[in-house]
Amino acid sequence: MTTSSLPLDDETAGAVVDAMVPLVGIPMAPEWRETVIASVKATAAAARLVLDFPLDDTVEPAPVFQASGPLA
Amino acid sequence: MSAHETASAIAAAVTAGRLSAAASVEAALARIAAADPGVNAFTDVTAERARTRAAEIDAGLAAGKAPGPLAGVPFAVKNLFDVEGIPTRAGSKINREREPAGRDGALVRRLEAAGAVLVGALNMGEYAYDFTGENAHDGPSRNPHDRARMTGGSSGGSGAAVAAGLVPLTLGSDTNGSIRVPSAFCGTFGLKPTFGRLSRAGSYPFVASFDHLGPLARSVADLGLAYDAMQGEDPDDPWQTPRPLEPVSAALAQGTTGLRIAVAGGYFARGGEPDCFAAVKQAAEALGATRSIEIPEAARARAAAFVITAAEAAGLHLDRLRVRPGDYDPAVRDRLIAGTTIPAAWVHRAQRFRSWYRARVLALFDEVDVILAPCTPCRALRIGQATMELDGVTVPARPNIGVFTQPISFIGLPVVAVPVRVGGGLPLAVQVIAAPWREDLALRVAGELEAAGVGAAPVAG
């Protein structure tokens, strides 16, 4: 099992935000950028904990789709 | 009826003819008019509707009709529940521009079918992405025990309205702790049922994977009454798990004899103020619980809940974020924007970890029936407080308030938050956690704590 990634630094997190936010089409004001980056870093830190935990490939995701369920 | 009466007492008085539903409702409306400006719990007061409903109940009683187990009990709901005739704002500026709801939410209908009377909708953190009870659009709900302090969130108005004695019963939602945190900060009892137990139809969503609805009240019997009235299958909620009606009220008197009760150790025994653990110890001693049990990988569970929450919430809000991000509460908006950048592979992995974790935690219930854990790592923080100190480390306040609640709701376990006082300070709460579908056991233990005088939810002031 390899470790997932190094901690996300400000520069990399900023690059992620600057690439992804236009991709999803959100008009982000410059003054929001710093707190968005802080939140991206917090999420990455949480994800690292999850990604570093080994799971067998047979472990299924928790949500289960039922074909007979309601449409919406 | 005074502010101190429980829902059970009000229903008994109305059923016996000692109190009219109209008088019960007028008393609640008067309390709201007098005291709500100080706590900012209500965003809508449905006085006319409530008076009409109360008159119907009184007319039914006069005609010999059974009034229902919640006869004449005034209640209010977090403003993410649909209330006919009111836009379901979910704490937001944007949603209050929506068309008024054409029908009450499922749980509102069920409580009213049991004789309860809706008197209004309650303040909440925007779109439920919140542990504080603060709101940029409606102002913060204020803790009735100290109005400079947070109620906790996101069901902040739900906690404040009960703790201030405005109504004896409210409904909230709990995705990562939003019923249990206000219960701890405001000192109320709160029930987060098993994921999939109660219908979510007619409520505004936050995170489909984790959203739960449930009651807050000042007694365990009141939680049971409300919970029993709200059970039952609802074809309008595709996430609900088909279950038979499993009423709990009659079982509450059984006490805890024969139940195996343990205290959560490890992750749940550190990272909080000492009094949070003292509250758990107090509860354990009252119950004679000496065993400790380790919930495995709870920190990772919280982390996985954090990732899934951010991603699903961002997905839900993407269209609005693209056209009017400036209309969001800034404290919510920037986290939602960040959530749109999360790789799908991380979310997939978090949902797979959820399966692993569920299997390990469910195995614990072969050995014990109920697990006790702290509810929050601190008492109510000051409104606007951005950081707090845990174990000598300064950490951001908002995400860390839910550090003990998130690993439990992540896998949908039923929990009763039991308010406990330690050393005369502001309230705290203990989580009483049971296996899926065993709300009865959690409520029985909560009832035992209440009977022992350890758990109590007096009206503030």
Side-chain angles (χ1 to χ4, degrees):
Chain A
M1 197 69 200
T2 58
T3 55
S4 56
S5 60
L6 296 171
L8 200 58
D9 60 30
D10 282 346
E11 191 180 342
T12 309
V16 168
V17 169
D18 293 341
M20 286 298 296
V21 171
L23 175 67
V24 295
I26 298 172
M28 187 177 73
E31 60 268 28
W32 305 343
R33 186 173 179 272
E34 189 178 337
T35 46
V36 172
I37 288 172
S39 192
V40 166
K41 289 177 67 179
T43 308
R48 235 181 352 265
L49 262 184
V50 180
L51 297 170
D52 285 347
F53 187 74
L55 285 176
D56 191 275
D57 286 351
T58 58
V59 177
E60 295 277 1
V64 176
F65 173 80
Q66 295 184 345
S68 59
L71 291 175
Chain B
M1 297 297 269
S2 81
H4 302 272
E5 296 294 348
T6 61
S8 307
I10 292 170
V14 170
T15 302
R18 299 193 305 272
L19 173 72
S20 69
S24 167
V25 164
E26 287 303 332
L29 293 173
R31 290 194 299 269
I32 294 165
D36 189 60
V39 294
N40 198 28
F42 279 79
T43 53
D44 302 272
V45 178
T46 54
E48 188 180 342
R49 164 188 167 141
R51 289 183 174 119
T52 301
R53 174 76 186 126
E56 290 169 359
I57 292 169
D58 287 333
L61 275 161
K65 188 178 167 192
L70 289 165
V73 172
F75 76 103
V77 296
K78 186 174 185 175
N79 67 29
L80 57 62
F81 286 83
D82 286 349
V83 174
E84 185 178 350
I86 296 175
T88 307
R89 74 173 74 177
S92 72
K93 174 183 177 183
I94 295 171
N95 278 37
R96 69 191 69 190
E97 299 168 10
R98 286 158 49 120
E99 289 294 312
R103 186 187 193 200
D104 292 338
L107 299 191
V108 176
R109 281 184 273 123
R110 287 186 175 172
L111 287 181
E112 289 216 318
V117 181
L118 182 77
V119 298
L122 299 163
N123 201 356
M124 60 177 281
E126 190 185 51
Y127 290 124
Y129 204 174
D130 169 60
F131 282 134
T132 68
E134 297 178 13
N135 183 299
H137 315 296
D138 293 311
S141 49
R142 294 183 176 276
N143 194 313
H145 297 279
D146 178 347
R147 292 176 185 178
R149 302 261 164 187
M150 297 175 181
T151 53
S154 62
S155 308
S158 305
V162 169
L166 306 184
V167 286
L169 173 68
T170 60
L171 296 184
S173 67
D174 188 319
T175 301
N176 286 300
S178 287
I179 288 173
R180 293 163 287 162
V181 168
S183 291
F185 282 9
C186 294
T188 71
F189 289 94
L191 169 63
K192 186 204 75 61
T194 309
F195 183 79
R197 169 76 86 172
L198 299 181
S199 173
R200 305 192 311 206
S203 66
Y204 195 79
F206 171 31
V207 177
S209 288
F210 307 144
D211 287 345
H212 308 67
L213 306 177
L216 296 87
R218 288 196 304 276
S219 79
V220 177
D222 285 4
L223 289 185
L225 269 182
Y227 169 68
D228 285 348
M230 294 190 288
Q231 289 187 47
E233 288 187 40
D234 183 354
D236 293 336
D237 179 2
W239 286 79
Q240 200 185 25
T241 303
R243 296 285 299 183
L245 294 178
E246 293 170 318
V248 297
S249 291
L252 294 181
Q254 288 178 20
T256 57
T257 304
L259 294 186
R260 302 164 298 172
I261 303 169
V263 173
Y267 175 89
F268 292 94
R270 58 177 181 264
E273 293 174 0
D275 281 355
C276 302
F277 309 116
V280 177
K281 186 166 182 276
Q282 206 169 300
E285 285 174 357
L287 296 164
T290 55
R291 182 173 178 176
S292 177
I293 199 164
E294 183 96 15
I295 297 177
E297 299 294 348
R300 268 185 244 277
R302 179 191 171 226
F306 190 98
V307 171
I308 293 168
T309 295
E312 287 194 18
L316 177 69
H317 286 281
L318 184 56
D319 288 354
R320 280 173 296 278
L321 290 169
R322 293 177 65 186
V323 295
R324 48 192 304 186
D327 288 335
Y328 278 79
D329 186 328
V332 173
R333 178 197 58 222
D334 296 346
R335 285 181 291 151
L336 289 174
I337 293 175
T340 66
T341 71
I342 296 173
W346 291 4
V347 182
H348 184 71
R349 182 62 168 258
Q351 287 285 14
R352 292 180 59 232
F353 175 78
R354 192 176 173 211
S355 292
W356 180 93
Y357 176 72
R358 174 179 55 190
R360 296 310 179 282
V361 176
L362 292 187
L364 299 179
F365 289 106
D366 292 338
E367 304 171 34
V368 300
D369 298 302
V370 165
I371 300 172
L372 307 177
C375 201
T376 55
C378 57
R379 291 186 166 92
L381 302 173
R382 292 186 311 280
I383 290 172
Q385 185 173 337
T387 61
M388 60 179 172
E389 197 165 298
L390 294 179
D391 284 349
V393 180
T394 300
V395 297
R398 278 180 174 268
N400 285 294
I401 293 171
V403 69
F404 295 135
T405 51
Q406 279 186 279
I408 308 303
S409 36
F410 179 54
I411 49 169
L413 302 178
V415 188
V416 178
V418 175
V420 174
R421 292 300 182 102
V422 177
L426 289 166
L428 289 163
V430 173
Q431 294 189 90
V432 179
I433 304 159
W437 318 116
R438 296 314 305 265
E439 287 87 347
D440 59 327
L441 301 185
L443 285 161
R444 278 169 56 190
V445 170
E448 187 82 359
L449 290 170
E450 184 181 32
V454 172
V459 170

